Amino acid sequence: MSAFAKKFFNQLKSKEFRDYLMSTHFWGPVANWGIPLAAIADTRKDPSFISGKMTFALSLYSLMFMRFAWRVQPRNLLLFACHFTNECAQLTQGARFINYHYIQGADQKEKTAQK
């Protein structure tokens, strides 16, 4: 196990890794992680606040950038993971939006109006 740890720490000290940490291949995805983290945090909020148009736009945005991250050479797997996470979060929000406004929400609105 110590040989693995030594190899790992030598890799972290390498010039290639330092160059990677100073590149846009690293800092671009790190900056983008705010979008999926916000979407995940929003899953605890009331679905009446979800914007269907924005959710759809962010879903398309993440799909396009997932493709870009996969096609660019060298592949940017950190960017791909960021947008994959965002795509999952936006699809969850989209399902909550549809459920609230078109399926379950109509029943709840009627119950509230009757009271």
Side-chain angles (χ1 to χ4, degrees):
M1 188 65 170
S2 66
F4 175 75
K6 186 175 182 178
K7 186 176 179 181
F8 177 73
F9 285 118
N10 285 338
Q11 178 68 26
L12 290 179
K13 291 190 278 185
S14 71
K15 181 177 177 359
E16 291 83 18
F17 186 73
R18 286 192 313 260
D19 288 344
Y20 173 69
L21 286 180
M22 298 302 146
S23 72
T24 55
H25 266 261
F26 177 75
W27 289 108
V30 168
N32 263 323
W33 271 101
I35 298 169
L37 292 176
I40 291 168
D42 285 348
T43 59
R44 295 188 174 267
K45 294 183 180 175
D46 187 57
S48 64
F49 294 112
I50 299 172
S51 168
K53 291 179 183 178
M54 183 56 79
T55 301
F56 179 70
L58 285 170
S59 292
L60 289 179
Y61 162 79
S62 283
L63 281 174
M64 288 187 294
F65 271 92
M66 277 175 26
R67 182 183 184 278
F68 169 78
W70 190 257
R71 299 286 299 206
V72 70
Q73 291 298 324
R75 286 189 174 140
N76 194 338
L77 297 179
L78 187 57
L79 183 65
F80 185 85
C82 171
H83 286 290
F84 180 79
T85 304
N86 189 43
E87 184 66 26
C88 293
Q90 295 303 328
L91 291 176
T92 300
Q93 290 292 78
R96 291 179 69 224
F97 176 82
I98 291 169
N99 186 39
Y100 179 77
H101 288 285
Y102 299 107
I103 301 171
Q104 183 183 18
D107 298 337
Q108 289 181 354
K109 288 177 188 177
E110 289 176 14
K111 288 178 186 177
T112 314
Q114 289 175 356
K115 289 182 183 179

